[in-house]
Amino acid sequence: MSAEIPKDSWSGTVRTVTLGATPAEGGTRSHVVTVGGQKTLPFMHFEQVAPNRPVVAVEIKDRCPEDWSPLLLEVWGDAAISPAAWAKQAEAAGAHVLVLALSLTGDDGKPTTPQAAVAATKAVLEASGLPLLVFGPGQAEADNELLVAVAEATKGERIALGICEDKNYRTIVAAALANGHCVTARSPMDVNLAKQLNILIHDMGLPLDRILMDPTTGALGYGIEYGYSVMERLRLAALQGDAMTQLPMIVTPGFEAWKTKESKVGRDVPEAWGDWRERAITWETLTAVTLIESGADIVVLRHPESVRRVRQAIDDLMTVPETV
Amino acid sequence: MALSGIQIYKLLPQTNCKDCGFPTCLAFAMKLAAKQVELAACPHVGDDAKAQLSEASEPPVRLVSLKSNGYEVKAGNEVVLFRHEKTFYNKPGLFIRLRDTESPDEIKTRVAAADGYKVIYVGRELALDGFAVEAASRTPAAFSAAINAVRQISHRPLILISRDPAIMAAGLRLVDGERPLMVGADAANWQAMGDLAKQHGAALAVTADTLDGLADLTVKLKDLGVQDLVLDPTAQRLGASLALNTQIRRLALRKNFRPLGYPVIAFPGDADEPAQESILAAHAIAKYAGFIVLDHFAPETAYPLLVLRENIFTDPQKPIQVQPGVYEINNPNADSPVLVTTNFSITYFSVANEVESSGLPAWLVVTDAEGMSVLTAWAAGKFDAERIAKAIKTFNVADKVSVKRVVLPGHVAVLSGELENELPDWEIRVGPREAVDLPAFIKQSL
Ligand code: B12
Ligand code: SF4
């Protein structure tokens, strides 16, 4: 009884996006990281071996994030008060790339200045040779002001600037265009909205190989199923040949998982939730791995143990089994 | 073999009467070919056609159910590769494995912890499904002792693991009248295992490390008269398991390949490292396992796995909702605060649970936001001042309280102005963004 394995052959290919630039390419990174390039659904190596593996990004901040779960502050310890030290430690923990998420305010409670944002970015670039993504605080005005300054000060490093949304993308895209950077484009869990934003950004002249799309996700228990299915649909559309969905996908399971009560709170929670630390890490890793299987190319994580586990899962997924 | 839409169309009455809910017989035929409707939806098919079509309308993945006193675990009957195409139906059963090399007392302790485990998620009580007992000792006596130990504590369905028919027979005798799953039949023992399965009415998993090997075994066993089969592709790593499970599901769905049209069993406990066990189990939940056997039970990993299983098996067309209305939390009275939220289950329960566990009384007004979260509903125009005001009025909230003051979720602070216009005699307060901060807010500010 011989089963003929049904293999899909798709007309579309996911584009590749390369983050970082080495000295030879006009930057200072020790190496570059390329994502995308798949011609199959995730890890269907029996159809075609995927050219690039999913990547783990670690999120660090320009100042100690007091609202983060105590578990995170504890594990990063003193590193969390210095972006440079944090970058080094994140690299040691196994990050493939770093995400520097800028805060809305500085330690003095005043709005983060462009100078401070640039200083933090430069400190990170000096401390670690990994490719970098820089996210603004998430408020249009602050994002634009800080990201423009960062983009100019790091010309040629091919960092990814984020987060572009339909209400605010022009300034960020222009800064990326002028300084040789990439962008991340976030849309609220909808195939058509993702396409639309990619088109708008591309229309400004930014080549598609400099756009990562972030279809938004929810954490385990808080909407992951929507993110999961939208990513599967986006990847199917890409393989079917829909050009504006053929971008590598970045998602932020760390951010989502660590804002849930399950991860943030250790006391006065149901006994059935079990050990806090292991629960929180499992919350983050299961969210991340589930999204990787639905097509994520970059997952942004927060806990070093999650980084270790997710990396191991990626190694495992990228191993081409002999039996198939 | 599966019939194509056109082949099915030729067997239909071709009157386009629309009784099936589709505009034409052809449209209905296409849906039937895609296994998105039941043949029974057309009341006019003749018996001849029915016979020919029944093969095509039979579920591509056989439904296999395990039973014990009062419990049932079902797997199979799935019709899609991706949940957005329709939905996934039968949540994979989660089992905890015990080995008969452990002492009966150890077994009882471990079973008791897992058997009694319950956790509440969006108002649903979630639990594990059963236990797997492995004859690691290779002796019938130890196997029997282990099964007895489990049965002294738990009545949930069992999976019995041994390749030796004599040992398996000893185990099966102890669970007469139940429908356990036997693991497993292989190229050497399939006949004896098949006979045992028939004799005891048990389901039987076949084990082979190639798809052809699995198919060979199911064909032979089906000829022997065993119907309820399960596939054990023995993939111990994520990559191999994803590939094999996908191939099995594709063959069943797209090619209607009967020899692999059965649920799959996965053993994440075989991972090299305990930390990978939950990851492999999560993968098995999303990617097509019907039964999942874990080696370790701990609340902190069981809870996320059970939640993931709920999420992946939620029907994408129907967000889980609660009934709009006024919910009384901790016996509120006329002085208790009025809180508003939406009728998305996750939203409702995150708010209700916080307030409830704080012991503070409150009226929780759940508006009809078509089952969406606060921000989603707000962005979609389903949670605006008008709707909130309407809810306050239709549910007669004013009659319940002495102070007309309503608390909005912090995420929709922007609605407060409009709501003041809609509810001129009410005081509008903006609460915190996250439900966790609600009790403190109620204590300090209300
Ligand atoms: C899952 C999701 C969806 C799902 C829907 C899920 C559902 N049934 O609601 C889908 C994919 C369908 C969806 C669709 C859309 N979405 Co949506 N979605 C999300 C997502 C990822 C999670 C939402 C969620 O479930 N949160 C969990 C629940 C529990 O949170 P919550 O309801 O807010 O409740 C919390 C608090 O508000 C508070 N709370 C609740 N009630 C109360 C009451 C009081 C008194 C207090 C004090 C507190 C309180 O407690 C809870 C826990 O802390 C968010 C982004 C994110 N990660 O948060 C985007 C998000 C909400 N979506 C967004 C948008 C724009 C949309 C769309 C309009 C996009 C589109 N495709 O057109 C559509 C609208 C739907 C439509 N047109 O049909 C935006 C909203 C942006 C904004 N600020 O306006 C978000 C924030 C994403 C983003 N960053 O852009 N979405
Ligand atoms: S009910 Fe039957 S006969 Fe009528 S349109 Fe549908 S398929 Fe055709």
Side-chain angles (χ1 to χ4, degrees):
Chain A
M1 181 52 63
S2 182
E4 195 198 325
I5 310 256
K7 293 188 183 173
D8 289 333
S9 72
W10 303 98
S11 59
T13 304
V14 179
R15 283 169 184 281
T16 56
V17 170
T18 296
L19 297 172
T22 59
E25 296 151 338
T28 61
R29 307 297 76 211
S30 57
H31 63 281
V32 301
V33 165
T34 300
V35 291
Q38 299 90 333
K39 291 178 188 299
T40 71
L41 287 169
F43 314 107
M44 296 293 114
H45 304 302
F46 60 92
E47 291 168 353
Q48 188 134 12
V49 176
N52 297 299
R53 53 179 51 219
V55 159
V56 173
V58 172
E59 179 180 355
I60 63 175
K61 304 275 298 177
D62 53 345
R63 63 179 280 246
C64 186
E66 276 132 33
D67 59 340
W68 278 26
S69 167
L71 290 173
L72 290 168
L73 297 180
E74 189 184 281
V75 69
W76 292 112
D78 287 344
I81 51 179
S82 142
W86 200 346
K88 278 209 181 83
Q89 212 160 304
E91 181 171 358
H96 295 115
V97 297
L98 297 175
V99 169
L100 173 64
L102 300 170
S103 312
L104 196 55
T105 56
D107 285 333
D108 54 6
K110 296 201 184 110
T112 305
T113 61
Q115 293 77 359
V118 168
T121 309
K122 290 221 151 160
V124 170
L125 288 172
E126 264 161 44
S128 161
L130 297 180
L132 181 66
L133 297 86
V134 180
F135 290 175
Q139 289 197 0
E141 235 168 88
D143 282 3
N144 293 344
E145 193 188 4
L146 302 183
L147 291 174
V148 168
V150 166
E152 284 169 358
T154 57
K155 191 175 172 96
E157 291 283 11
R158 207 176 166 96
I159 60 180
L161 303 170
I163 295 171
C164 295
E165 297 188 74
D166 66 341
K167 291 198 188 71
N168 188 47
Y169 65 93
R170 298 187 150 270
T171 309
I172 303 173
V173 173
L177 258 176
N179 299 288
H181 296 311
C182 306
V183 299
T184 74
R186 175 178 285 179
S187 48
M189 289 194 176
D190 183 282
V191 172
N192 289 321
L193 294 180
K195 280 174 67 171
Q196 217 169 46
L197 183 59
N198 297 340
I199 292 170
L200 291 171
I201 292 174
H202 182 54
D203 281 352
M204 281 185 66
L206 194 66
L208 289 172
D209 65 359
R210 280 160 66 187
I211 308 173
L212 296 165
M213 67 176 168
D214 174 354
T216 309
T217 191
L220 179 57
Y222 297 85
I224 191 178
E225 66 271 36
Y226 297 98
Y228 178 85
S229 286
V230 166
M231 286 170 68
E232 286 198 328
R233 290 174 52 207
L234 277 165
R235 189 48 53 88
L236 282 164
L239 296 172
Q240 281 156 6
D242 183 341
M244 285 301 153
T245 57
Q246 291 170 340
L247 305 177
M249 292 190 274
I250 178 171
V251 278
T252 53
F255 166 77
E256 297 293 341
W258 285 99
K259 82 178 177 197
T260 66
K261 182 171 182 185
E262 280 80 353
S263 304
K264 261 185 134 164
V265 184
R267 286 177 33 200
D268 299 329
V269 296
E271 210 175 299
W273 286 15
D275 178 73
W276 181 22
R277 179 182 174 273
E278 182 60 28
R279 172 179 79 237
I281 291 169
T282 306
W283 220 264
E284 184 176 33
T285 52
L286 296 199
T287 305
V289 173
T290 305
L291 296 173
I292 287 174
E293 287 205 357
S294 69
D297 294 282
I298 305 180
V299 288
V300 187
L301 303 181
R302 286 187 171 175
H303 197 288
E305 172 61 14
S306 306
V307 174
R308 190 187 71 77
R309 293 186 191 178
V310 172
R311 277 189 60 137
Q312 196 176 330
I314 293 172
D315 286 347
D316 216 355
L317 283 165
M318 288 302 290
T319 309
V320 181
E322 294 132 36
T323 51
V324 292
Chain B
M1 272 307 282
L3 300 178
S4 71
I6 302 293
Q7 286 166 320
I8 294 173
Y9 173 70
K10 290 187 178 144
L11 296 168
L12 292 175
Q14 302 176 21
T15 56
N16 301 336
C17 75
K18 301 188 176 63
D19 287 350
C20 54
F22 292 91
T24 61
C25 293
L26 184 61
F28 180 71
M30 291 302 174
K31 288 284 171 189
L32 199 61
K35 306 206 183 285
Q36 289 167 350
V37 288
E38 304 278 332
L39 177 59
C42 168
H44 312 296
V45 261
D47 287 345
D48 261 12
K50 229 179 238 167
Q52 288 183 58
L53 284 166
S54 68
E55 158 87 341
S57 56
E58 215 177 90
V61 181
R62 186 179 170 85
L63 183 74
V64 173
S65 79
L66 309 187
K67 286 184 193 151
S68 64
N69 202 353
Y71 293 97
E72 183 171 20
V73 182
K74 291 189 210 165
N77 248 1
E78 301 300 340
V79 295
V80 291
L81 278 154
F82 305 101
R83 57 187 291 286
H84 67 259
E85 293 174 313
K86 188 159 201 238
T87 185
F88 291 165
Y89 289 102
N90 288 303
K91 295 172 195 164
L94 288 168
F95 290 73
I96 303 294
R97 173 157 62 181
L98 293 315
R99 293 186 168 85
D100 67 357
T101 42
E102 297 167 66
S103 76
D105 281 343
E106 279 171 314
I107 290 178
K108 280 193 227 167
T109 313
R110 289 185 53 205
V111 170
D115 187 63
Y117 181 74
K118 314 189 267 251
V119 64
I120 309 281
Y121 168 71
V122 295
R124 300 180 190 184
E125 189 177 285
L126 309 181
L128 300 169
D129 299 283
F131 296 90
V133 186
E134 179 168 340
S137 70
R138 298 168 194 272
T139 62
F143 192 44
S144 304
I147 294 169
N148 277 328
V150 175
R151 269 289 168 263
Q152 279 171 35
I153 307 288
S154 169
H155 295 287
R156 295 181 192 272
L158 293 183
I159 296 175
L160 304 182
I161 308 175
S162 171
R163 300 278 183 98
D164 181 334
I167 296 178
M168 186 61 87
L172 286 168
R173 272 196 292 276
L174 301 174
V175 292
D176 232 15
E178 302 183 14
R179 187 204 296 276
L181 171 63
M182 304 159 51
V183 179
D186 57 27
N189 70 11
W190 65 270
Q191 221 152 357
M193 286 291 195
D195 288 336
L196 280 175
K198 273 201 301 192
Q199 200 180 324
H200 289 269
L204 177 59
V206 299
T207 305
D209 53 16
T210 64
L211 295 185
D212 288 348
L214 289 172
D216 267 339
L217 284 168
T218 61
V219 169
K220 285 182 191 151
L221 283 161
K222 196 175 172 192
D223 287 346
L224 195 68
V226 187
Q227 308 279 350
D228 288 330
L229 296 167
V230 170
L231 309 171
D232 172 15
T234 69
Q236 283 167 19
R237 308 190 73 116
L238 277 175
S241 170
L242 178 60
L244 288 170
N245 289 4
T246 305
Q247 291 168 355
I248 289 169
R249 179 68 69 92
R250 279 190 194 169
L251 279 162
L253 261 47
R254 292 199 194 150
K255 307 271 172 177
N256 208 15
F257 184 70
R258 293 288 167 193
L260 294 179
Y262 301 98
V264 167
I265 186 167
F267 292 88
D270 288 340
D272 306 340
E273 192 203 330
Q276 291 301 112
E277 185 179 23
S278 61
I279 291 181
L280 272 160
H283 146 80
I285 288 170
K287 291 297 174 183
Y288 314 142
F291 301 98
I292 300 174
V293 182
L294 301 166
D295 279 9
H296 305 88
F297 163 74
E300 56 270 18
T301 47
Y303 174 38
L305 286 173
L306 288 165
V307 170
L308 180 67
R309 186 172 75 166
E310 291 297 300
N311 290 166
I312 295 290
F313 282 75
T314 298
D315 184 342
Q317 271 100 50
K318 296 183 218 139
I320 34 172
Q321 316 190 2
V322 293
Q323 197 63 31
V326 183
Y327 287 74
E328 302 183 8
I329 303 192
N330 298 328
N331 303 314
N333 58 31
D335 297 327
S336 305
V338 177
L339 316 171
V340 278
T341 190
T342 70
N343 68 326
F344 182 37
S345 282
I346 303 181
T347 301
Y348 167 79
F349 283 105
S350 27
V351 178
N353 289 346
E354 279 314 328
V355 181
E356 203 174 293
S357 60
S358 72
L360 298 165
W363 303 98
L364 183 55
V365 179
V366 175
T367 58
D368 181 0
E370 298 179 16
M372 287 184 231
S373 81
V374 168
L375 275 179
T376 310
W378 176 74
K382 308 291 182 196
F383 187 56
D384 52 18
E386 207 179 311
R387 282 197 185 222
I388 296 171
K390 194 174 149 213
I392 300 269
K393 285 175 193 156
T394 37
F395 302 140
N396 301 319
V397 184
D399 302 344
K400 302 187 198 299
V401 291
S402 51
V403 188
K404 288 195 196 166
R405 184 173 62 192
V406 55
V407 182
L408 281 180
H411 279 300
V412 289
V414 289
L415 290 179
S416 55
E418 285 165 53
L419 194 57
E420 272 163 17
N421 295 338
E422 295 278 344
L423 295 172
D425 46 348
W426 284 74
E427 182 194 343
I428 313 297
R429 293 286 290 272
V430 175
R433 289 169 159 253
E434 301 302 332
V436 204
D437 304 318
L438 242 176
F441 173 82
I442 295 176
K443 276 186 219 153
Q444 283 156 24
S445 317
L446 297 182

